[in-house]
Amino acid sequence: MSYSTGKAVLVTGAGRGIGGGIARCLGQAGYHVGVHYNKSAQGALKVCAEIREMGREALPIQADLSDLSQLHAMFDTFLEKFGKIDALVNNSGITQYMPFLEATPEHFELLTNVDWRATYFCTQRAAKNMIENDVKGSIVNISSVQKEAILSTASVYGPSKAAISRFTRHAALELAPYKIRVNCISPGHIKVLDQNVVLDREKEQISRIPWHRVGRAEEIGRAVLFLIDEKSDYITGSDLQVDGGFPLPAFMDNFLFPLPPVGT
């Protein structure tokens, strides 16, 4: 069935972290949300409960997106519930690092299949349904600042994120005649753990970010909301970096950007 109020959006990898923040933000904005997860069942159920408390429909959908048959089953479940798809957020991904000389085919295939191939075929499946239902839809792909940053042990993860960014422009071009917009968001360092926990790694990250803090999942959610809203109708094929200015300084391993004291 379809709904007379609110549009339906599918968010992949929404059981926790950035995806959960995106799903909550869209629920607050009035969207009905399909909350995809693979292993984060408890988190997905919590996200769905919070969205329902906002007065919107929320549907948890389990699928391993490295398996194309499960990917298509996810869409079948979503469409059975909502009838059509108005927007898609390709957030699902695996952040995993391995030294280049130790990288295995299994590591390569896992990251490539979930981060890159799933984004490609989720976009294709959503676009076909939008065209079938004459929906002037919006698709947002989640990449990373690591699409450009060359970090050690990220020889698979980084190129996968770069592929997502580049693919966004190709899809935007081919889907423009159907008035389907495709954009990308490249988050920087985003806090996904308990907000009261400050780790040594996070302190190091903050020292390298001109805005002097890590980002929050809901900030990515607000960026997604902007890009799928009709007010951004003239924006397609873009890549919005939400990173506190992380790439601005020319960082080296033995150099930290000199930041003023907090509050000045």
Side-chain angles (χ1 to χ4, degrees):
M1 64 178 291
S2 59
Y3 291 86
S4 58
T5 59
K7 297 181 178 181
V9 56
L10 173 61
V11 183
T12 67
R16 59 187 178 89
I18 291 176
I22 292 171
R24 292 184 185 93
C25 183
L26 295 177
Q28 286 181 327
Y31 286 86
H32 304 301
V33 187
V35 178
H36 161 262
Y37 69 96
N38 184 15
K39 299 179 180 178
S40 304
Q42 184 175 357
L45 293 175
K46 181 179 179 181
V47 170
C48 287
E50 292 174 0
I51 293 173
R52 291 182 188 122
E53 289 178 358
M54 302 170 190
R56 301 299 171 185
E57 293 286 339
L59 176 67
I61 310 174
Q62 192 280 330
D64 178 356
L65 297 186
S66 67
D67 181 340
L68 291 180
S69 65
Q70 292 190 44
L71 182 153
H72 287 293
M74 171 186 70
F75 275 92
D76 293 341
T77 300
F78 179 90
L79 295 173
E80 182 179 357
K81 172 70 174 179
F82 297 108
K84 61 182 176 64
I85 185 168
D86 295 287
L88 167 69
V89 183
N90 285 307
N91 169 75
S92 187
I94 296 176
T95 304
Q96 191 177 94
Y97 303 97
M98 187 174 292
F100 169 63
L101 294 178
E102 299 175 14
T104 64
E106 292 77 16
H107 170 75
F108 183 93
E109 290 177 6
L110 177 62
L111 267 66
T112 300
N113 289 348
V114 175
D115 290 42
W116 161 219
R117 189 179 72 169
T119 293
Y120 188 102
F121 286 103
C122 281
T123 298
Q124 183 188 74
R125 179 69 190 270
K128 286 181 177 180
N129 184 265
M130 290 173 182
I131 294 168
E132 178 183 342
N133 290 282
D134 195 28
V135 170
K136 306 302 185 287
S138 179
I139 298 170
V140 178
N141 300 322
I142 305 299
S143 178
S144 167
V145 292
Q146 292 196 43
K147 69 183 189 291
E148 295 177 352
I150 309 301
L151 304 181
S152 62
T153 72
S155 63
V156 178
Y157 179 77
S160 293
K161 292 302 182 181
I164 291 171
S165 179
R166 180 79 178 196
F167 162 68
T168 295
R169 299 171 68 187
H170 283 275
L173 175 63
E174 294 202 37
L175 295 177
Y178 303 99
K179 299 302 180 185
I180 297 171
R181 297 184 299 111
V182 187
N183 291 291
C184 185
I185 292 175
S186 293
H189 297 292
I190 305 299
K191 190 177 184 71
V192 296
L193 299 174
D194 187 330
Q195 295 296 318
N196 296 318
V197 176
V198 178
L199 305 176
D200 289 341
R201 174 173 168 74
E202 182 178 320
K203 293 178 181 178
E204 179 184 2
Q205 291 171 348
I206 290 173
S207 72
R208 295 170 177 260
I209 300 172
W211 211 245
H212 208 62
R213 68 171 175 85
V214 295
R216 297 182 288 270
E218 59 267 26
E219 291 177 303
I220 306 302
R222 290 197 293 268
V224 168
L225 180 61
F226 166 71
L227 287 175
I228 68 173
D229 190 85
E230 295 176 355
K231 294 178 182 178
S232 62
D233 180 69
Y234 202 53
I235 301 176
T236 192
S238 71
D239 189 334
L240 175 61
Q241 294 199 176
V242 184
D243 55 22
F246 173 73
L248 297 178
F251 290 124
M252 296 182 295
D253 289 341
N254 60 350
F255 173 78
L256 297 182
F257 184 65
L259 292 167
V262 177
T264 63

